[in-house]
Amino acid sequence: QVQLVESGGGLVQPGGSVRLSCAASGPAFGNYSMAWFRQAPGEEREFVAAISRTGISRGYADSVKGRFTISRDNTKNTVYLQMNSLKPEDTAVYYCAAGFWGLTVTNVQQMCEKSSAEYDYWGQGIQVTVSP
């Protein structure tokens, strides 16, 4: 199976920045759209950001728009989430996910509307805690 491994999390102060990385195993990384989800204790997993196969198209949840940036490097089989201006409410376990949509997804909105259940592969998650 394809494995996704997140790294780069930890404790950060409000207003600070952190970059999460998600390294994918196996070939065909470039065939998958990638996304970040997050889940706080007792809450549902929520969409954070998604990026298309080529990295040209990017979409974000309203709660992180303007603060977070998703990117990918297909030569390194890695997707990133740059998190700036962090807030305590950003505290969560962050999950990397990969999904193959093919031609069924033709725009950013459709990509961002994919539910967590529709993704094919998931990382184990990594904790990000924003606290003074």
Side-chain angles (χ1 to χ4, degrees):
Q1 294 183 342
V2 173
Q3 293 183 331
L4 304 175
V5 180
E6 301 96 337
S7 62
L11 177 64
V12 61
Q13 294 183 340
S17 299
V18 68
R19 187 179 74 162
L20 303 182
S21 298
C22 174
S25 67
F29 175 74
N31 289 342
Y32 291 86
S33 294
M34 301 294 296
W36 290 94
F37 288 75
R38 67 186 182 186
Q39 187 170 21
E43 299 183 8
E44 296 182 353
R45 187 169 300 186
E46 65 174 345
F47 169 80
V48 176
I51 188 167
S52 64
R53 290 173 291 178
T54 64
I56 294 176
S57 299
R58 307 174 187 182
Y60 303 91
D62 289 340
S63 60
V64 306
K65 194 172 299 182
R67 300 188 298 120
F68 291 8
T69 302
I70 188 171
S71 61
R72 68 189 296 163
D73 186 342
N74 287 356
T75 67
K76 298 180 179 179
N77 281 17
T78 302
V79 63
Y80 306 94
L81 184 67
Q82 179 66 47
M83 307 165 65
N84 298 329
S85 302
L86 284 164
K87 306 174 181 179
E89 51 263 44
D90 294 319
T91 296
V93 175
Y94 283 73
Y95 295 90
C96 176
F100 179 76
W101 318 130
L103 297 179
T104 62
V105 171
T106 59
N107 57 60
V108 173
Q109 181 177 348
Q110 289 178 338
M111 182 176 63
C112 293
E113 291 178 345
K114 291 292 184 179
S115 68
S116 60
E118 295 179 277
Y119 281 83
D120 299 297
Y121 302 101
W122 289 86
Q124 79 286 353
I126 189 166
Q127 179 71 44
V128 175
T129 301
V130 184
S131 175

